Amino acid sequence: NAGVTQTPKFRVLKTGQSMTLLCAQDMNHEYMYWYRQDPGMGLRLIHYSVGEGTTAKGEVPDGYNVSRLKKQNFLLGLESAAPSQTSVYFCASSSGGGVSGANVLTFGAGSRLTVL
Amino acid sequence: SQQGEEDPQALSIQEGENATMNCSYKTSINNLQWYRQNSGRGLVHLILIRSNEREKHSGRLRVTLDTSKKSSSLLITASRAADTASYFCAPPVSGSEKLVFGKGMKLTVNP
């Protein structure tokens, strides 16, 4: 039981290049999330999904796109990478539903992206 | 907007000592969670406390919640070097299932 798997773990891009981060979960979770973590900034929500075929914007969505074509996968795309997108990206999933704040998240190990 | 703010931002203690971390949040909540992040890893859920609970224990962890003061605390007793990590409180966005993570508190436990 792998939980939440992120690929790749590390990537270096040049400004203007595009790439996709893949998140896969094997827990049959409904909800999936993409966060970025920067020094001194904490974790910020980029986009999230409450079910297959749905996506929604989080706190910092600009410059990113996402897709949830299959329940187990949540893709985060950078169409034209910028140095400001250098960060560690975390995917998380949860079963969703229930009372506000009771949604326990399972995180992946992170993907470290550097944009030169 | 809702955000969990941990205090202090960094704490260094000796093995065997207790560590207390405080969290303040802005809007009313039904539940609050705490997470731990070891260096270079993803966050791991530690404990969830509900608004009708004032205190909750899990092993060496004790969490309190004071909804009137909009604050929570995480106490780690008899700390170990393996407790070295960053700790985050995560209140929900009001009326939402989304969680808000602050900057975290870096705990260093010296052997």
Side-chain angles (χ1 to χ4, degrees):
Chain A
N1 191 341
V4 177
T5 303
Q6 294 181 227
T7 53
K9 288 184 170 47
F10 302 93
R11 183 75 187 268
V12 178
L13 287 177
K14 294 181 180 179
T15 297
Q17 288 185 320
S18 64
M19 75 156 296
T20 300
L21 296 176
L22 170 64
C23 177
Q25 53 94 4
D26 61 3
M27 296 169 286
N28 201 34
H29 281 168
E30 287 292 333
Y31 288 30
M32 296 186 75
Y33 311 79
W34 276 108
Y35 289 88
R36 60 177 289 173
Q37 185 176 34
D38 304 290
M41 298 292 290
L43 272 81
R44 293 180 290 170
L45 182 63
I46 305 171
H47 285 282
Y48 63 102
S49 167
V50 299
E52 182 179 313
T54 75
T55 63
K57 294 180 180 180
E59 185 184 357
V60 288
D62 293 343
Y64 304 94
N65 57 74
V66 287
S67 64
R68 183 105 182 264
L69 298 179
K70 293 183 179 180
K71 186 177 183 178
Q72 63 267 34
N73 296 336
F74 195 30
L75 278 64
L76 177 70
L78 286 71
E79 290 187 347
S80 180
S84 61
Q85 294 177 304
T86 293
S87 187
V88 181
Y89 292 85
F90 288 98
C91 177
S93 71
S94 70
S95 56
V99 179
S100 174
N103 198 21
V104 175
L105 273 59
T106 301
F107 281 83
S111 297
R112 183 176 294 274
L113 175 65
T114 301
V115 183
L116 303 175
Chain B
S1 60
Q2 182 72 292
Q3 184 167 8
E5 295 186 4
E6 297 88 359
D7 174 64
Q9 292 198 343
L11 181 63
S12 181
I13 60 175
Q14 296 299 123
E15 232 175 4
E17 294 180 339
N18 296 340
T20 300
M21 290 155 269
N22 301 301
C23 167
S24 60
Y25 56 91
K26 295 181 180 178
T27 64
S28 297
I29 60 171
N30 293 314
N31 304 278
L32 184 139
Q33 299 182 41
W34 285 87
Y35 287 77
R36 182 189 73 227
Q37 183 181 33
N38 291 93
S39 182
R41 303 286 191 92
L43 279 70
V44 174
H45 174 76
L46 290 177
I47 197 165
L48 180 154
I49 186 166
R50 304 187 190 281
S51 58
N52 61 355
E53 299 175 310
R54 291 189 62 83
E55 188 171 305
K56 192 168 184 178
H57 295 255
S58 177
R60 293 183 296 111
L61 304 181
R62 189 189 86 170
V63 170
T64 63
L65 180 63
D66 187 334
T67 54
S68 66
K69 295 182 179 178
K70 293 186 172 59
S71 68
S72 175
S73 68
L74 171 66
L75 168 68
I76 303 175
T77 60
S79 63
R80 305 166 181 170
D83 294 326
T84 294
S86 291
Y87 292 82
F88 297 81
C89 69
V93 174
S94 181
S96 164
E97 297 196 42
K98 292 180 290 183
L99 300 181
V100 179
F101 293 89
K103 298 176 184 178
M105 196 213 77
K106 186 173 175 61
L107 174 66
T108 302
V109 182
N110 301 298

